[in-house]
């Protein structure tokens, strides 16, 4: 079993490199088709060469010099009437939610107080 390990590792490496080449937009130093042919013809050597020479370098995420709220092009208020209407709707929705919460809390309190002394309940 151990004697097959190098062949299995070389095959797995070749499969990994083939998938990576196919999924890469633009490999370095050679066109995509050339890397595929090289990996298929010389699985171990072609895979290692691709990993060290052909694989594209990872691109770090672009960092912005601006804080999120200072980013140029960020949406800013442009119509005060629409802003006022939006804020009115938000306040109305908040009041509606508060009223519903108060009502549900009151109902829960009534059920807890009324549930203990129900005349229809038999003592256990």
């Amino acid at each position: 079993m151990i004697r097959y390990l190098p062949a299995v590792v070389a095959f797995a490496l070749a499969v990994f490199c083939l998938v990576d080449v196919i999924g890469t937009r633009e490999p370095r130093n050679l066109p995509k088709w050339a890397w595929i042919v090289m990996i298929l013809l010389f699985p171990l050597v072609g895979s290692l060469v691709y990993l060290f020479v052909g694989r594209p370098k990872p691109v770090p995420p672009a960092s912005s010099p601006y804080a999120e709220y200072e980013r140029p092009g960020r949406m800013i208020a442009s119509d005060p009437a629409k802003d006022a209407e939006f804020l009115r709707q938000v306040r109305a929705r908040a009041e509606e939610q508060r009223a519903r919460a108060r009502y549900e809390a009151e109902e829960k309190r009534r059920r807890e107080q009324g549930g203990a002394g129900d005349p229809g309940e038999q003592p256990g």
Side-chain angles (χ1 to χ4, degrees), residues 34-79:
W35 284 116
I36 292 172
V37 169
M38 184 182 292
I39 293 170
L40 288 175
L41 291 179
F42 310 104
L44 182 62
V45 175
S47 298
L48 292 174
V49 170
Y50 169 73
L51 286 177
F52 291 110
V53 179
R55 195 162 190 212
K57 293 185 180 187
V59 179
S63 63
S64 175
Y66 302 103
E68 182 61 31
Y69 55 87
E70 294 174 343
R71 182 165 296 165
R74 183 175 177 264
M75 294 298 293
I76 57 172
S78 59
D79 187 0

